[in-house]
């Protein structure tokens, strides 16, 4: 057993000051310590993207980040986008376009799409597909996800 | 797939980080972006008693112009900053292009140039770019600062000439002549994966004659390689000869991504395409 | 009580409507409940030390260091677990079948890399993995069998000492005059086809939480399964517990695709350990475990040839199938399901009366193969439709034309195929016609000519298939299996608050069945879709159910739901007749109300329920003696099931230098009967095709000669991303509905059945000037490079 480390992390606006083992993955910290189980763990080696969250506004794989590395950071998870009774606009676009089936990759898709929509013009479907290519979905064949992100882009561009 | 236990030090200064590495007799490992390291930790393929995190060290990030017309890129500069930097776009559009092939946004947000070079994956883009552009890699260790030419830095797959107690702090790139043409070609079966093979090239023209032809190959050799024989063939006999020379110059290996034969073939194809593009762009 | 508005409108049509999914709000906001999300007081975490040998005798296991590690609660070996469970195997009445016992943890011998050998229970998964590293196992390596053609030879070392050979199942049959057909043929083509091994890769890996309640002597298993009912029934035998004290719950499940349709060792060990320790035990597979242990898919070598007349008519077909089924015969499907299905479906939707086939399921030192989306049929369609294209090329006929000439015609149904399967009427010809029209096939061919003249490698692929879906009690899903896969149960109940609950034995893994089944029940019952609560994946909900597999959810769920809702509606009508003082034939229901046709006399179903249950005296005792509740349980058996047909056409382009394959157009035209929700139906086709494209182009489980799995990470096992999957056009042809209740046909697997053949045909078409045929998939750039290298001058 190694020395625990004190960290302070703000998640979805709430600050948490806790002691954690250095080896604790941020994904596990979010799920196990904070009970925010919307962030899913799909591969633990950075390929599937299911665990994608935002750290200081940037999309990041929470399975490839140690909780101790997020000391002092502001984290946003899927729970920050809206809740089941009042979905946020991107979540609503996913629902309108049937952009999810089993829902397991969905939180990672949403967080990736959030970052993409902030950072890239996403002019074409190819751009959208390129942006989503780090998130594996096994159910949808991606087509409806592309449609949902396209709709969110149009909404963004309308201002 | 959970990491084995380790101690963790978030270093505040380079001195602290170097001291920690030295105190461990090289057993400690550095973590920066962690995008290659942490998967290996999760698979328990890498084990170390201590991880020294350098993300908190001030002054290791950022891109500035240097006195020889090029750029100095801090080791902690994230891939996304390279991808979007106007300085990079102005000085080295080839880097800008290369960054589009580096994994995915979430990885580029976190991964660093210092980490990519130190990890020295032979199929990665930035190590190849560093040999292409004759980068100098600046490292600090117990004996102080050291400048290592990129050509001397990469020794074998995942192996560099960096000592176990040294830390890459920055990369210095010399300026390219005005009118430098460039090409960057990479092939992977799935978007964002490591290259099966890739070729980057730059060149300038002087009165129609080619000068300063550079060709770097990755994914098709044990290290990122400056293909000097292919460069010479290009200067003397043109693109087809260069591609043929490159095929003979590399020593690819077999793995799940492709056989040595296919990689050799592919490197030639990509070389031709990169040189076509560079020739087109060279003024 | 004021009459509701619009009572005289006709009943709304929910079936066929694009209803937004009710699953979505929770899944989009991170509020779903997957097995890994569940926590219990005192819960412990389990991890497995797995074999790193493909075939070896276990000579010693030292667990002492692991047992004494801080945070470790218990460590179990194969012998320990064997003492806690009854042994089990997948039996079958099929002739020439040999069952294998499947030890939950290996006892004495390991037979594949990844087989669980020791279980560690600890306070956290981290500590459990620390302990795994401290276990010392001595192995004595045995000869490893990775090649099924070696394994089936007489004299090959046997994986299971008690069996006669490594051939776990064998079947041969012949119909018609096959040899004569080949003698009469204008052309014959054939060869060795290889459909490699893949793996499902649900993004949610498998997981289980077992909770044994010592006080109640009952076991609850939350599990990522597609088959809660089958698990419950088998666990009852394994643990000598009555079914009433075992509850298997599949909560939100992150994809299944067949990979979660088997009983897995980890589930049994979790239950055994929970019972032994009286603690909740949680096991969540990591991705490496998932890639090595979740039932693998396909893996067949097929020697096949076909004889055609000069008008393209298929005269005869021969197939010899060798299925590599891995180390054990998987429960409940057995080692027969995948390879036998290959030969059963090989003749496909074509008129073939001369057919001979042989199939062998062969054990090797690899992970068990099980059911994966399509089961056998992706291979049969790959082989059959590749053969058709090869034949068409030889006689100079267009691929669409040769299919048109051989597809069963509308006036020939029901059509008995040479393998004995019977196709009910389905739009075989219309799907081909509409697909060709929808993708502008003739234009594509013209464009292809131009592209070829420019040196581009453009190819067009066609594949037609038929599948049996929603198969009832006439045929077991796997030959001779002792489980009833032919019925499903639904209970519809309106409670005393007026709320409607419909409970099913099937489970959902993302197919949106909470929505589609609510559509079906609401329509039949005459209530609003949002007012129907759907219970799935919980064995306490109905007495018998098996689960979701084999494209059966819509047919069975929709059918049972309709029957139960209809029975409850009859009760509503009886009670309403009394309350509204009208003849029952004048009562109509809709939108949550009942009313007397042509009048303003109406009441809400909610009020009717209160009247029956809660308002003493509202309904006379005589009527309540007859109708004591608003509830009904019905079982549906579609008996023969029904035929779903489709044609896929795609256009691809191969980079003539890198050999990258780019799919540029893709159309699916299918006859899936009555569509319940078009948005969901399209999504099923998209996802199925995407998986089929993966199989065609990049997915492959690779073993080395020592049986090591080289593709044990998602870096090496390639699953397509959004870039590699094209936009797909899906068309549902409106044809005559089948005899299933509601006219539903199954559609979950179709995309994956057609796509490997379609894409392989397109690649072969592009490479046809070089004389290259794709006989092995995935057609990776590396494989195409080697094929081209072999024909290079």
């Amino acid at each position: 057993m190694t020395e625990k480390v004190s960290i302070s992390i703000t998640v979805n606006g709430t600050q948490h000051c806790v002691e954690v083992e250095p080896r604790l993955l941020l994904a596990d910290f979010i799920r196990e310590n904070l009970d925010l189980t919307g962030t899913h763990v799909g591969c633990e080696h950075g390929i599937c993207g299911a665990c994608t969250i935002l750290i200081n506004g940037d999309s990041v794989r929470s399975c490839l980040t140690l909780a101790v590395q997020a000391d002092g950071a502001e984290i946003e998870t899927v729970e920050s986008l809206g809740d089941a009774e009042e979905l946020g606009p991107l979540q609503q676009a996913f629902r309108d376009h049937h952009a999810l089936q089993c829902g397991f990759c969905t939180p990672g898709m949403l967080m990736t799409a959030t970052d993409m929509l902030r950072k890239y013009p996403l002019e074409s479907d190819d751009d959208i597909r390129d942006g989503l290519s780090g998130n594996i979905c096994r159910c949808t064949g991606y087509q409806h996800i592309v449609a949902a992100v396209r709709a969110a882009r149009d909404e963004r561009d309308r201002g | 797939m959970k990491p084995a236990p380790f101690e963790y030090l978030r270093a505040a200064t380079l001195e602290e980080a170097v001291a920690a590495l030295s105190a461990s007799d090289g057993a400690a490992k550095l973590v920066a972006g962690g995008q290659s390291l942490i998967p290996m930790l999760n698979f328990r393929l890498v084990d170390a008693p201590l991880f020294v995190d350098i993300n908190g060290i001030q002054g290791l990030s950022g891109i500035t112009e240097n006195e020889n017309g090029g750029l100095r890129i801090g080791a902690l500069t994230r891939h996304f900053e390279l991808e979007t930097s106007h300085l990079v776009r102005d000085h080295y559009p080839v880097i800008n292009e290369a960054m589009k092939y580096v994994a995915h946004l979430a990885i580029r947000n976190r991964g660093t140039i210092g980490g990519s070079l130190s990890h020295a994956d032979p199929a990665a883009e930035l190590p190849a770019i560093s040999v292409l552009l004759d980068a100098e890699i600046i490292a600090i260790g117990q004996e102080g600062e050291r400048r290592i030419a990129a050509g001397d830095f990469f020794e074998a797959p995942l192996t560099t000439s960096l000592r176990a107690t040294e830390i890459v702090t920055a990369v210095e790139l010399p300026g390219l002549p005005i009118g430098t043409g460039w090409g960057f070609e990479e092939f992977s079966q799935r978007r964002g994966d490591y290259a099966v093979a890739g070729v980057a090239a730059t060149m300038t023209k002087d009165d129609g004659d080619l000068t300063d032809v550079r060709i770097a190959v990755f994914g098709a050799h044990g290290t990122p390689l400056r293909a000097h024989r292919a460069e010479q063939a290009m200067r003397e006999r043109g693109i087809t000869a260069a591609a043929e020379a490159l095929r003979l110059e590399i020593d690819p290996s077999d793995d799940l991504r492709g056989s040595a034969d296919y990689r050799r073939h592919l490197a030639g194809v990509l070389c031709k395409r990169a040189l076509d593009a560079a020739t087109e762009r060279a003024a | 009580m004021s009459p509701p508005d619009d009572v005289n409108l006709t009943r709304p049509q929910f079936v066929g409507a694009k209803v937004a999914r009710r699953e979505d709000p929770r899944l989009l906001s991170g509020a779903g409940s997957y097995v890994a999300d569940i926590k219990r007081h005192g819960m412990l975490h389990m991890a497995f030390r797995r074999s790193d040998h493909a075939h070896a005798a276990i000579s010693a296991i030292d667990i002492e260091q692991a047992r004494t590690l801080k945070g470790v609660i218990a460590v179990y070996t194969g012998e320990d677990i064997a003492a806690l469970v009854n042994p089990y195997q997948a039996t079958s009445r099929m002739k020439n079948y040999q069952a294998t016992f499947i030890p939950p943890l290996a006892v004495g011998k390991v037979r594949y890399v990844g087989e669980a050998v020791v279980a560690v229970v600890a306070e956290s998964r981290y500590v459990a993995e620390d302990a795994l590293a401290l276990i010392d196992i001595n192995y004595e390596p045995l000869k490893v069998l990775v090649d099924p053609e070696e394994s089936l030879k007489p004299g090959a070392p046997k994986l299971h000492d008690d069996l006669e050979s490594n051939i776990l199942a064998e079947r041969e049959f012949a119909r018609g005059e096959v040899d004569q057909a080949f003698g009469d043929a204008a052309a014959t083509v054939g060869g060795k086809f290889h459909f490699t091994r893949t793996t499902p890769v649900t993004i949610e890996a498998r997981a289980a939480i077992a909770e044994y309640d010592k006080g109640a002597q009952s076991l609850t298993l939350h599990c990522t399964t597609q088959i809660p009912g089958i698990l419950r029934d088998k666990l009852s035998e394994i643990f000598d517990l009555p079914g009433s004290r075992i509850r298997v719950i599949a909560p939100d499940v992150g994809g299944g695709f067949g990979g979660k349709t088997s009983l897995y060792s980890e589930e049994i060990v979790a239950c055994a350990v929970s019972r032994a320790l009286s603690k909740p035990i949680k096991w969540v597979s990591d991705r490496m475990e998932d890639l090595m242990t979740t039932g693998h898919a396909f893996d067949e070598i097929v020697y096949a040839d076909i004889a055609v007349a000069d008008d393209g008519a298929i005269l005869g077909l021969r197939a010899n199938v060798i299925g590599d089924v891995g180390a054990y015969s998987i429960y409940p499907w057995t080692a027969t399901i995948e390879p036998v299905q290959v030969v059963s479906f090989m003749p496909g939707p074509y008129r073939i009366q001369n057919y001979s086939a042989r199939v062998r399921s062969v054990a090797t030192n690899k992970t068990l193969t099980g059911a994966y989306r399509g089961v056998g049929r992706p291979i049969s369609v790959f082989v059959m439709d590749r053969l058709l294209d090869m034949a068409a090329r030889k006689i100079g006929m267009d691929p669409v034309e040769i299919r048109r000439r051989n597809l069963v015609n509308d006036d020939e149904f029901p059509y008995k195929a040479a393998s004995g399967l019977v196709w009910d009427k389905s739009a075989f010809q219309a799907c081909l016609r509409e697909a060709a029209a929808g993708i502008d096939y003739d234009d594509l061919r013209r464009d292809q000519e131009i592209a070829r003249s420019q040196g581009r490698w453009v190819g067009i692929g066609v594949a037609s298939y038929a599948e049996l879906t929603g198969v009832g009690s006439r045929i077991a899903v796997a030959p001779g299996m002792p489980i009833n896969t032919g019925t499903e149960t639904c209970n519809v109940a309106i409670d005393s608050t007026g709320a409607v609950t419909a409970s099913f034995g099937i489970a959902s893994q993302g197919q949106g069945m909470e929505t589609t089944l609510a559509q079906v029940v609401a329509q039949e019952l005459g209530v609003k879709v949002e007012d129907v609560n759907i219970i799935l994946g919980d064995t306490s909900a109905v007495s018998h159910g098996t689960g979701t597999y084999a494209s059966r959810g819509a047919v069975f769920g929709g059918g049972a739901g309709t029957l139960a809702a209809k029975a409850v509606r009859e009760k509503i009508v009886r009670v309403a007749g009394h309350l509204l003082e009208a003849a029952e034939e004048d009562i109509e229901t809709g939108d949550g109300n009942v009313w007397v046709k042509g009048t303003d006399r109406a009441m809400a179903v909610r009020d009717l329920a209160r009247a029956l249950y809660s308002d003493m005296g509202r309904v006379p005792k005589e009527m309540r003696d007859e109708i004591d509740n608003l509830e009904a349980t019905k079982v549906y058996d579609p008996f023969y099931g029904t035929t779903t047909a489709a044609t896929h056409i795609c256009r691809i382009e191969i980079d003539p230098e890198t050999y990258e394959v780019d799919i540029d157009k893709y159309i699916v035209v299918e006859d899936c009967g009555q569509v319940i929700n078009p948005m969901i139906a399209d999504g099923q086709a998209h996802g199925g095709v995407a998986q089929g494209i993966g199989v065609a182009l990049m997915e492959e489980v690779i073993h080395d000669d020592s049986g090591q799995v080289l593709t044990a990470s998602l870096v090496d096992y390639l699953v397509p991303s959004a870039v590699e999957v094209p936009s797909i056009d899906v068309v549902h042809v409106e044809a005559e509905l089948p005899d299933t209740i509601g006219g539903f046909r199954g559609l979950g697997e179709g995309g994956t059945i057609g796509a490997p053949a379609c894409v392989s045909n397109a690649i072969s078409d592009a490479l046809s000037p070089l004389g290259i045929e794709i006989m092995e998939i995935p057609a990776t750039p590396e494989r195409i490079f080697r094929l081209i290298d072999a024909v290079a001058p």
Side-chain angles (χ1 to χ4, degrees), chain C residues 245-583:
Chain C
R245 288 197 266 122
I246 300 179
R247 184 176 176 194
V248 178
I249 300 168
D252 286 323
V253 174
F257 321 122
K260 295 171 179 170
T261 60
S262 298
L263 171 61
Y264 284 100
S265 296
E266 298 90 351
E267 294 154 6
I268 297 168
V269 177
C271 291
V273 170
S274 179
R275 196 182 195 186
L277 298 177
S278 286
K279 290 279 190 186
I281 301 294
K282 184 178 200 172
W283 170 74
V284 179
S285 169
D286 63 34
R287 186 54 66 185
M288 199 163 39
E289 292 181 284
D290 176 66
L291 291 167
M292 290 197 297
T293 67
T294 296
H296 283 171
F298 311 137
D299 203 351
E300 273 103 5
I301 295 163
V302 181
Y303 297 90
D305 53 3
I306 192 175
V308 296
D310 54 12
D311 66 354
I314 302 168
L315 302 176
L317 171 67
R318 295 188 289 223
N320 179 5
V321 176
I322 296 161
D324 178 345
V325 298
Y328 300 94
S329 181
I330 200 162
Y331 189 88
W333 309 112
T334 78
T336 67
I337 182 166
E338 169 66 42
V340 171
Q341 199 126 293
V342 175
V343 295
S344 298
F345 284 85
M346 186 78 78
Y350 306 111
R351 287 191 306 274
I352 299 175
Q353 285 307 324
N354 301 307
Y355 175 41
S356 67
R358 179 183 194 195
V359 55
R360 282 166 289 178
S361 301
V362 182
T364 60
N365 291 113
K366 295 180 192 164
T367 303
L368 292 63
T369 63
Y372 170 67
R373 204 170 194 169
V375 185
R377 291 155 302 185
I379 294 90
S380 42
V381 178
F382 170 70
V383 173
M384 184 65 216
D385 273 48
R386 288 269 44 253
L387 285 170
L388 260 187
D389 271 24
M390 290 158 71
R393 216 170 335 268
K394 199 158 181 181
I395 62 171
M397 189 174 282
D398 180 86
V400 167
E401 181 59 18
I402 199 168
R403 284 172 178 77
R404 191 188 65 75
R405 290 181 183 211
N406 285 288
L407 283 173
V408 175
N409 290 306
D410 287 354
D411 58 3
E412 294 173 294
F413 294 106
Y415 183 84
K416 186 166 185 183
S419 59
L421 298 176
V422 177
W423 303 127
D424 64 325
K425 187 168 182 179
S426 188
F428 289 16
Q429 290 282 3
C431 286
L432 176 69
R433 201 165 54 237
E434 297 297 320
I439 203 166
D440 296 323
Y441 182 78
D442 294 338
D443 289 351
L444 291 191
R445 284 291 176 203
R446 274 192 291 276
D447 293 348
Q448 181 186 32
E449 279 312 304
I450 296 165
R452 274 195 175 144
S453 69
Q454 296 164 343
R456 289 163 58 200
W457 295 3
V458 172
I460 300 161
V462 187
S464 297
Y465 64 86
E467 52 168 334
L468 281 181
T469 64
V471 179
S473 62
R474 177 73 174 75
I475 319 167
V477 163
M481 71 186 300
I483 284 175
N484 170 17
T485 53
T487 59
E488 272 301 333
T489 310
C490 173
N491 171 276
V492 170
I494 303 179
D495 66 24
S496 51
T497 71
V500 183
T501 301
S503 306
F504 295 85
I506 59 176
S508 186
Q509 304 84 42
Q511 301 92 332
M513 288 195 288
E514 283 172 56
T515 306
T516 48
L517 293 176
Q519 289 176 257
V520 171
V521 169
Q523 174 146 333
E524 194 61 38
L525 203 53
V527 298
K528 293 176 181 166
V529 175
E530 57 268 33
D531 288 343
V532 181
N533 183 39
I534 300 290
I535 306 277
L536 298 163
D538 182 345
T539 57
S540 70
V542 293
S543 301
H544 175 254
T546 54
T548 298
Y549 50 86
S551 297
R552 73 198 294 274
V555 176
F556 282 85
T562 301
L563 291 175
K566 194 189 288 281
V568 172
R569 184 177 180 277
E570 282 167 15
K571 292 185 174 185
I572 291 172
V573 167
R574 292 284 307 280
V575 176
H578 168 78
L579 293 172
L580 296 173
E581 296 172 347

Side-chain angles (χ1 to χ4, degrees), chain C residues 66-355:
Chain C
R67 200 198 291 279
T68 53
L69 183 71
K70 186 172 182 298
V72 171
I73 310 300
V75 181
Y76 295 88
T77 64
E79 282 84 0
D80 299 332
I81 296 296
L84 301 174
V85 303
N86 292 322
Y88 76 100
Q89 56 184 352
T91 58
S92 167
R93 290 184 294 269
M94 187 180 136
K95 275 193 294 185
N96 301 321
Y97 167 72
Q98 306 188 82
T100 64
F101 283 100
I102 310 173
L105 295 179
V107 176
K109 212 177 187 188
V110 290
R111 294 182 177 87
Y112 66 95
V113 170
E115 185 169 7
V117 182
V118 180
V120 169
V121 180
E123 286 168 357
S124 77
R125 172 79 185 206
Y126 286 77
V127 174
E129 290 193 18
D130 295 343
L132 297 183
L134 300 175
I135 296 166
D136 203 12
I137 305 175
N138 279 342
Y139 291 107
E140 289 164 17
L142 300 168
K143 176 160 172 60
V144 175
L145 290 161
V146 289
D147 178 354
E149 294 192 277
E150 289 298 318
S151 188
L152 60 73
K153 284 181 181 164
K158 289 191 292 182
L159 262 75
H160 300 273
D161 296 335
D162 54 327
L163 301 187
E164 287 172 21
S165 70
N166 294 323
I167 301 172
L168 299 186
E170 181 163 15
R171 179 179 274 185
E172 269 183 79
F173 67 85
R175 187 152 308 182
E177 302 298 329
V178 181
D179 292 338
Q180 192 188 326
F182 275 79
D184 295 346
T188 64
V189 290
K192 177 183 180 180
F193 297 86
H194 186 202
F195 202 104
T196 57
R197 178 175 277 241
T198 70
T199 183
V201 192
T202 53
I203 304 302
E204 180 207 37
R206 294 186 294 112
I209 299 176
E211 297 167 80
Y212 188 75
D213 180 331
K214 209 167 198 169
Q217 296 175 44
S218 69
L219 179 67
T220 304
L221 177 68
H222 282 83
C223 181
T224 55
T225 188
Q226 297 175 242
I227 51 161
I230 292 176
L231 253 55
R232 194 270 311 267
D233 293 0
K234 199 65 191 174
L235 292 174
S236 167
E237 292 173 23
I238 289 173
F239 291 103
D240 281 328
L241 282 171
S244 56
R245 288 197 266 122
I246 300 179
R247 184 176 176 194
V248 178
I249 300 168
D252 286 323
V253 174
F257 321 122
K260 295 171 179 170
T261 60
S262 298
L263 171 61
Y264 284 100
S265 296
E266 298 90 351
E267 294 154 6
I268 297 168
V269 177
C271 291
V273 170
S274 179
R275 196 182 195 186
L277 298 177
S278 286
K279 290 279 190 186
I281 301 294
K282 184 178 200 172
W283 170 74
V284 179
S285 169
D286 63 34
R287 186 54 66 185
M288 199 163 39
E289 292 181 284
D290 176 66
L291 291 167
M292 290 197 297
T293 67
T294 296
H296 283 171
F298 311 137
D299 203 351
E300 273 103 5
I301 295 163
V302 181
Y303 297 90
D305 53 3
I306 192 175
V308 296
D310 54 12
D311 66 354
I314 302 168
L315 302 176
L317 171 67
R318 295 188 289 223
N320 179 5
V321 176
I322 296 161
D324 178 345
V325 298
Y328 300 94
S329 181
I330 200 162
Y331 189 88
W333 309 112
T334 78
T336 67
I337 182 166
E338 169 66 42
V340 171
Q341 199 126 293
V342 175
V343 295
S344 298
F345 284 85
M346 186 78 78
Y350 306 111
R351 287 191 306 274
I352 299 175
Q353 285 307 324
N354 301 307
Y355 175 41

